[in-house]
Amino acid sequence: MSKLTKLFFLCALLVMATGQAYAYPGKGASSDSGSAAPAAAEISGTVVQTMNASGYTYVLLEKDGTQSWCAMPETEIKVGEDIAVAPGAPMYNFNSKTLNRTFDTIYFTSGVVAR
């Protein structure tokens, strides 16, 4: 994960923790490291896919036919688990050089809040 992405992730967590208002470019904006929008609500569902890279865990959750990618500090999570993750900041067109893939939308979160 790039230094810019790590910096964004840490800033997003700090902002969520302090409850400060902030603004980001809206959906549709793009850059090499993705663009972000305001923090979203808690995401929950069944783990469909999970992978670890560069100290982060990437998890694909499915609930009611909708799938959502989430990224968090490295955590042990198993496929088939039902989990909920803390609200996070969505990033659009996020390119992970480590995983060599682009996520249409991924939520950067502080981690699992319920299993």
Side-chain angles (χ1 to χ4, degrees), residues 41-56:
E42 178 181 283
I43 299 170
S44 63
T46 302
V47 177
V48 175
Q49 186 178 352
T50 184
M51 63 190 95
N52 292 334
S54 300
Y56 292 91

Side-chain angles (χ1 to χ4, degrees), residues 19-61:
Q20 299 293 317
Y22 58 101
Y24 294 101
K27 186 173 182 175
S30 83
S31 68
D32 186 49
S33 62
S35 61
E42 178 181 283
I43 299 170
S44 63
T46 302
V47 177
V48 175
Q49 186 178 352
T50 184
M51 63 190 95
N52 292 334
S54 300
Y56 292 91
T57 297
Y58 294 79
V59 180
L60 179 60
L61 297 177

Side-chain angles (χ1 to χ4, degrees), residues 14-115:
L14 179 62
V15 168
M16 287 185 294
T18 61
Q20 299 293 317
Y22 58 101
Y24 294 101
K27 186 173 182 175
S30 83
S31 68
D32 186 49
S33 62
S35 61
E42 178 181 283
I43 299 170
S44 63
T46 302
V47 177
V48 175
Q49 186 178 352
T50 184
M51 63 190 95
N52 292 334
S54 300
Y56 292 91
T57 297
Y58 294 79
V59 180
L60 179 60
L61 297 177
E62 183 172 351
K63 183 174 183 175
D64 300 329
T66 300
Q67 293 187 336
S68 302
W69 276 104
C70 299
M72 65 196 76
E74 195 165 317
T75 306
E76 186 175 326
I77 297 175
K78 296 178 183 168
V79 172
E81 260 188 281
D82 288 322
I83 65 169
V85 298
M91 289 187 71
Y92 303 101
N93 301 315
F94 173 75
N95 179 267
S96 168
K97 291 179 179 145
T98 305
L99 296 174
N100 193 30
R101 72 182 289 171
T102 298
F103 297 89
D104 291 336
T105 304
I106 187 166
Y107 296 87
F108 283 84
T109 172
S110 60
V112 176
V113 294
R115 292 183 186 247

